[in-house]
Amino acid sequence: MGSHFTLPKGVAPCDGDAALCALLEPIRARYDLPSFAAAIVTIGERADVCTRICAVGYRQRGAAKPAVTVNDRWHIGSNTKAMTATVAARLVERGLLSWDTRVSACFPKFACHAAASSITLRQLLTHQSGLAANLSVAQTARARASQSELRQQRRQLVARLLSSPPSESPGTYSNLGFVVAAAMLEEVANCSFRELLQRELFAPLGVQSAGFGQSNTAGRADQPVGHGADGAPALGAGADNVPLLDPAGRVHLTLADWGRFVGEHMLGRRARSDLLPASTFVFLHGECSDRGSGSGWIPLTREWAGGLALTHSGSNTLNYAVVWMAPERGVAFLVCTNQANEQTAKACDEVVVALLDLWKSTQRRAQ
């Protein structure tokens, strides 16, 4: 790594919960990452959501200032998928479509290959559609050059995808599945995905920091700057996937606001959410299926979680974020960093373990 991209020597600046900062800084330094931000989200019997947050490190390599803060907005990548699925559930509950509505039913004028005619909203949101994982190089170039509104771009993509048989087997992780699902939501609600996300999710939860794409202004470190595997900061405009992929992984927001969303999913399972019925949250989490995937969540079994643990991660190759939730315990752990390389996931997992140990010790002292 060139000296231009090195980090200042010594302990990095910290903001927020001091106990969390003390856990994160040694891990950040050991893995030579620009920054970490983390949160412990809990729900109680009386209080709704309580969030402990900290941030350590720097918004950009090669610059001692500005440091990251607890109010910075972090790119959460594919953790956006759980948000898209939650919006879909809101429209399903309203009767605008069902989990078994076919894509072809929302776009009856599009020519449809027989093998694509049976793809449903449920399959799209659980990676069972057989659609490709990502846009091709040509599709990406077309999307970057397009001047059309995003809703129209998604309609055009749906038309192309429906005209051919699915290229992959069911169970293939598919960003395109969530893009097509969002096109269905846009069609039945007659408004853009961004408007839907704001109306159906962000406004009801009081989320005010959310946006799409890179969180920093191009050329400035006014928010955490994404860094590639080589440590180079991506300061230029368009340092993210194309906006067409908003529903699959382009949301950025503060950890407090992400915590509101995750906390709502824990509250929802206890019938304490106004967003959706408890049974719908259980459905979204996927624990009652044999698919191995929820809708934006991966259900697992962990002893520390008291049974069900839900997780997901996201990365645009410049940032990385991961969530672990234990709904039975009423606790979740969120971790973000502004560099993605082959060690980032391991580093974030170490942070999660440290947060879990801290939470366990806090629980023991409270008994």
Side-chain angles (χ1 to χ4, degrees):
M1 185 180 297
S3 59
H4 179 65
F5 302 135
T6 58
L7 293 166
K9 300 297 184 182
V11 177
C14 302
D15 186 33
D17 190 296
L20 269 62
C21 287
L23 294 176
L24 266 64
E25 170 55 17
I27 302 174
R28 184 208 64 80
R30 185 162 63 253
Y31 284 92
D32 191 35
L33 292 171
S35 69
F36 269 133
I40 301 176
V41 182
T42 54
I43 61 171
E45 292 302 320
R46 295 181 180 85
D48 283 345
V49 178
C50 177
T51 307
R52 298 175 62 179
I53 305 173
C54 77
V56 300
Y58 310 92
R59 289 177 175 173
Q60 178 188 343
R61 283 185 179 276
K65 297 181 179 180
V68 290
T69 76
V70 294
N71 295 316
D72 279 356
R73 300 191 296 271
W74 299 87
H75 194 290
I76 63 170
S78 285
N79 294 294
T80 302
K81 289 180 171 69
M83 298 178 175
T84 300
T86 304
V87 171
R90 295 263 287 174
L91 300 193
V92 168
E93 291 294 328
R94 204 167 296 152
L96 295 182
L97 75 174
S98 77
W99 296 116
D100 295 317
T101 296
R102 297 182 178 190
V103 183
S104 55
C106 289
F107 301 95
K109 295 184 179 180
F110 290 176
C112 186
H113 191 281
S117 64
S118 62
I119 297 175
T120 66
L121 178 64
R122 183 196 308 263
Q123 292 172 327
L124 293 168
L125 296 177
T126 57
H127 305 291
Q128 299 299 311
S129 67
L131 294 181
N134 292 300
L135 296 171
S136 66
V137 173
Q139 288 170 332
T140 299
R142 190 182 301 118
R144 288 203 184 278
S146 178
Q147 299 298 310
S148 300
E149 293 184 351
L150 292 176
R151 183 179 172 187
Q152 181 58 27
Q153 289 186 44
R154 278 189 273 273
R155 284 177 58 89
Q156 292 168 352
L157 178 64
V158 170
R160 288 193 292 272
L161 291 174
L162 285 181
S163 67
S164 303
S167 61
E168 308 297 329
S169 59
T172 299
Y173 187 93
S174 177
N175 287 311
L176 296 191
F178 277 75
V179 176
V180 173
M184 295 174 69
L185 306 183
E186 290 174 324
E187 199 70 12
V188 300
N190 193 29
C191 67
S192 73
F193 173 74
R194 292 187 179 186
E195 291 171 325
L196 277 172
L197 204 55
Q198 176 61 34
R199 185 184 77 197
E200 301 294 335
L201 192 63
F202 294 155
L205 295 183
V207 170
Q208 299 184 8
S209 66
F212 297 88
Q214 64 190 101
S215 60
N216 67 294
T217 304
R220 298 173 56 192
D222 52 355
Q223 291 291 331
V225 175
H227 295 73
D230 63 354
L235 279 165
D240 197 7
N241 294 309
V242 292
L244 176 66
L245 295 177
D246 278 354
R250 295 186 77 251
V251 163
H252 64 248
L253 73 177
T254 64
L255 274 180
D257 277 345
W258 191 16
R260 287 185 176 90
F261 170 74
V262 173
E264 194 72 16
H265 271 253
M266 290 192 286
L267 290 169
R269 292 177 62 92
R270 303 182 183 197
R272 291 169 55 189
S273 171
D274 293 329
L275 278 184
L276 296 165
S279 59
T280 301
F281 281 105
V282 171
F283 172 82
L284 289 173
H285 297 159
E287 71 207 79
C288 298
S289 76
D290 57 1
R291 300 183 305 265
S293 173
S295 299
W297 298 96
I298 300 172
L300 302 167
T301 300
R302 294 290 185 271
E303 183 178 355
W304 64 264
L308 176 68
L310 297 165
T311 187
H312 209 280
S313 62
S315 176
N316 65 348
T317 74
L318 299 170
N319 303 272
Y320 185 88
V322 64
V323 54
W324 279 88
M325 183 209 302
E328 296 305 313
R329 304 291 196 204
V331 65
F333 308 101
L334 318 178
V335 184
C336 300
T337 183
N338 59 336
Q339 183 172 351
N341 59 35
E342 61 183 11
Q343 292 294 309
T344 300
K346 182 180 178 182
C348 288
D349 285 346
E350 285 194 24
V351 172
V352 171
V353 171
L355 297 177
L356 173 59
D357 289 343
L358 177 64
W359 174 77
K360 285 179 178 178
S361 67
T362 302
Q363 293 297 104
R364 285 193 295 269
R365 287 197 301 270
Q367 292 176 352

